[in-house]
Every structure is written in structure tokens, then in C-alpha cells.
Amino acid sequence: MTRQRMFLDMSCVDAARERMRHIYDVFDTVCVQFSGGKDSTAALLLAKEIHEERNLGPVKAIFRDEEMVSPSVLRYMEWIREQPWIDLEWYCLPMAQEVWVLGQRFYVLLWSKTREDRGYLVREKPEWAITAESFGLDPYKSVPEPIDYYTMQGKIGMTAFIMGVRANESMMRYRSCVQKLHENYIVQPYQLKKSIPLRFAKPIYDWTTDDVLKFIADEHDFPYCEYYDLANLSGANSRVGIPLHSVAIRRINDVVVTEPEFYDQLYRVFPQIDAQRRLWKDFDIERLITDYASDGWDGVRDCIADSMLTPGTARSAMNYASKYRKKHATDPWSYPIEWLIRTLMLNEFHSMSPTPIGPKTKAYSQRMKIAQEVAAANSLDAMDDFR
């Protein structure tokens, strides 16, 4: 039987409170993954309600500091850290991060000791941070396990990490919340060993942005990160996070208008991002995609050679292209080469499986246009044969 979406006979806030109570009932340890954003702030306040209701003491929270964090978010995080009702663990672990400039990708190691020795960190590491050395790891290398493996250390029993994930933010986030019939908001972490007793819980998955802001401001009268006011005044992107990956950097000028000192910090370490800022408006990436796609699989190889500037990125791209080619062999219409090129140049593909093109994409529109042209040509041929 096909599943159907149903509405609950209660508000989304009350539903989230019931989910939170259930999470605290079935898990031994509960921590909030906190980023400083509005959604994780709402999740933190929901946890605060449960802790006050059950007299559980400080709320355990985890902050994964990704180095390229804006000054306004850092100020908010430091204020949060000082609140007596919060027990915050602040992690600064070396991990790979993509930097994307005009279709070209390369990877840097966040919090790398090598970059630190050369004076090329975006900012200094907080003295209170939990680092690679805390786990006996080499600070010059990326941590060998997923980050959640390390933030899980020291937790007792079955553990839940509360996440401020909302389904209406993206189709991927929506799908992550509808895979299960029961406890659909509690999921197994991706790429983490099943033997590790950790689950992700997403109690506000059905909230809207208005629900989040009303809950923070009206129900709790709680301060939120000032970046949202800066973004609102300037018309900038309202998402907090690393600004140099393949999606965020296309709006790098938002950083300039909201926090120019942050842009200066980034530019000092990654001067090539100024080319993105100056040239992206006039950069014809569609022409580049078309040119690569016109050469077929040779174009795919050329695209990877030209665009993937670090060996690990190139290997990941070749692995993805290999999987895609197998799909293309059985269904070329759903997996056209142009869509592969577009994914390699514009979208996220690391550790992901190839997906067919879908409605409301440029690739889909082009596919339908070609199909219509082919159908029209076949119709004319049929008429000629009839004559």
C-alpha cells in the first residue's frame, strides 16, 4: 500500500515536544548537535524544556568547529558556551573540506597542523577545543574515521544526537525523514559502523522557518545569531556554514556585504576566491558544460583533469563517473553525459550514488526538448514514407 502524508491533530511544536520526550525515554545519552544556526537553536531549546521538566541538569551539546566560521556565529557560540544550563563540547578536528572556484575543486585540511605551522589557518584554534591530539591522533593528517565517531567518544550507552534538520530545506533532507514508517525521525548515521550505538534524531523535521523563529523569539524570548539580521538587512543568504563549497561560494558576495572582515580572513588564506567574487557573474559555466559534454566520455575525462585539482578529488570524481557510466549504459536517457558533467562541475558527488535527472532541472528540460525533436523528426519520416 502506498504511503500517504497525514496531518497530526496538534501543532508541529507540540509534536516535536512529544518526539523529544520519546527520545529521552529510549536513549541513555542525548546530545544536541549545535551549529549556531536557528534550527539547531530551536532543537537546543526543546532539549532545555525536557531537562527542566525532568530535572536532568545541563543540556549536552556538541559544536563541530569547521574553521571557516563567521565572526557573528563565533560570538554567538562563545556566548552559548558560557550559559550555565549548557554543557558544550567544542571540537576542532582535522578533516577535508572542498574549496570551489569557477568550476574547479580542490581540498584543504581544516585545522591542519601543516597550515597552522605556516600561519595559514583562517583563525586561531580555541584553547578550550577538543583536538586530534585529544584522541592521540596525528594533527598533520585527516582523522581516519567519520567525525561522529569521535564526538561519540565518552558517551554512555545508546546515544542520540539531536539535529536541527528540516525536511523542507532539500529533497535529500526530506527523504532522510520519510524512509521509515515508525520513528521516522530517528535514523542510522551514514557511513558509521552499525555496531556503534549512535542514532540521529530530527524532532523538528516538519517545521517551517516561521515555526522556528516563532518558537525561539515568542515562546522562549531567546537571542539568536546576529548573522540573520545582517543577512536580512542586506538580502544575503540566510544559511550559516562554510562559505567556500560548490553551492555557497556562488554567493560569496554575501560574505562581503554581511561580514567583510570575514571575507578578508578567507582571502588571506585562499586568495583564489577573489576570482570567484569578481568573475562569476559573467562566467559562462553552461557553455563549459556543453563543450565538455559534446566530447562524450573523452569530455568527462577532460573535465575531471581540468576541474579536480587535488588527487583525492580526482579519484572521487573518477569513481563517481565509473558508476554513472554503468547506469548510462542501461538507461542513457535518464543518465545523459551532460548531467554527469553538470554534477561534477556544480553539485556534490563525493560518497554519493548517481541519480537520474528529474523534473525542474536544466538537464531534464534539455532531455525533453531533444525527445520532442526526435518525435517530430520521426513523425515527418513517417509522413514521407506514407506519401
Side-chain angles (χ1 to χ4, degrees), residues 249-274:
I249 200 171
R250 297 177 218 171
R251 299 193 61 169
I252 191 63
N253 278 304
D254 288 353
V255 179
V256 177
V257 299
T258 54
E259 296 179 292
E261 73 280 14
F262 183 37
Y263 180 82
D264 291 341
Q265 288 177 290
L266 295 169
Y267 173 75
R268 181 183 66 83
V269 181
F270 308 109
Q272 54 269 62
I273 68 172
D274 203 49

Side-chain angles (χ1 to χ4, degrees), residues 105-238:
R105 303 173 188 256
F106 63 94
Y107 266 75
V108 297
L109 192 61
L110 300 178
W111 298 123
S112 164
K113 193 68 169 62
T114 301
R115 291 175 51 231
E116 182 180 3
D117 293 343
R118 295 174 180 174
Y120 279 99
L121 291 183
V122 174
R123 40 175 264 270
E124 292 185 3
K125 194 178 300 180
E127 60 183 18
W128 54 81
I130 300 170
T131 64
E133 292 91 332
S134 304
F135 298 97
L137 299 174
D138 186 347
Y140 290 91
K141 298 180 181 179
S142 178
V143 292
E145 300 287 345
I147 298 298
D148 296 309
Y149 174 85
Y150 302 100
T151 58
M152 172 67 182
Q153 300 302 307
K155 310 303 184 290
I156 299 173
M158 196 66 185
T159 300
F161 284 175
I162 304 294
M163 306 176 71
V165 169
R166 294 186 293 111
N168 69 352
E169 290 184 304
S170 72
M171 180 55 67
M172 185 174 296
R173 293 191 173 194
Y174 170 80
R175 289 179 62 188
S176 74
C177 298
V178 297
Q179 295 297 310
K180 294 167 57 183
L181 186 60
H182 302 290
E183 293 185 337
N184 62 297
Y185 56 93
I186 300 175
V187 298
Q188 173 83 28
Y190 179 62
Q191 288 190 325
L192 202 63
K193 296 175 182 176
K194 293 183 178 181
S195 60
I196 297 176
L198 174 65
R199 297 293 182 271
F200 290 158
K202 308 170 184 180
I204 66 168
Y205 74 90
D206 53 354
W207 289 25
T208 64
T209 299
D210 286 346
D211 295 326
V212 170
L213 295 176
K214 287 178 181 178
F215 180 73
I216 295 171
D218 294 349
E219 295 207 28
H220 283 270
D221 191 23
F222 193 77
Y224 53 83
C225 180
E226 65 179 305
Y227 174 78
Y228 292 106
D229 290 334
L230 298 173
N232 185 53
L233 289 171
S234 63
N237 178 29
S238 62

Side-chain angles (χ1 to χ4, degrees), residues 336 338-339 342 357-358 360-368:
E338 188 271 345
W339 182 242
R342 183 176 299 279
I357 60 176
K360 299 183 180 179
T361 62
K362 290 183 180 179
Y364 181 83
S365 300
Q366 292 175 2
R367 170 190 174 187
M368 295 305 297

Side-chain angles (χ1 to χ4, degrees), residues 203-347:
I204 66 168
Y205 74 90
D206 53 354
W207 289 25
T208 64
T209 299
D210 286 346
D211 295 326
V212 170
L213 295 176
K214 287 178 181 178
F215 180 73
I216 295 171
D218 294 349
E219 295 207 28
H220 283 270
D221 191 23
F222 193 77
Y224 53 83
C225 180
E226 65 179 305
Y227 174 78
Y228 292 106
D229 290 334
L230 298 173
N232 185 53
L233 289 171
S234 63
N237 178 29
S238 62
R239 298 192 69 172
V240 301
I242 290 180
L244 302 187
H245 62 71
S246 61
V247 176
I249 200 171
R250 297 177 218 171
R251 299 193 61 169
I252 191 63
N253 278 304
D254 288 353
V255 179
V256 177
V257 299
T258 54
E259 296 179 292
E261 73 280 14
F262 183 37
Y263 180 82
D264 291 341
Q265 288 177 290
L266 295 169
Y267 173 75
R268 181 183 66 83
V269 181
F270 308 109
Q272 54 269 62
I273 68 172
D274 203 49
Q276 175 73 29
R277 180 187 67 82
R278 292 183 293 105
L279 303 176
W280 176 245
K281 183 178 179 181
D282 300 316
F283 186 72
D284 192 354
I285 196 150
E286 292 297 329
R287 171 72 177 274
L288 199 57
I289 292 171
T290 301
D291 288 346
Y292 281 129
S294 65
D295 290 335
W297 293 107
D298 288 337
V300 174
R301 282 188 288 270
D302 291 342
C303 173
I304 294 174
D306 295 342
S307 304
M308 312 299 161
L309 303 185
T310 47
T313 311
R315 284 195 298 272
S316 181
M318 289 296 290
N319 183 51
Y320 182 86
S322 176
K323 295 177 183 177
Y324 193 97
R325 189 166 188 169
K326 294 176 181 178
K327 298 278 189 180
H328 173 84
T330 57
D331 187 0
W333 282 105
S334 295
Y335 297 88
I337 292 179
E338 188 271 345
W339 182 242
L340 171 59
I341 299 290
R342 183 176 299 279
T343 300
L344 292 175
M345 296 203 69
L346 291 173
N347 301 329

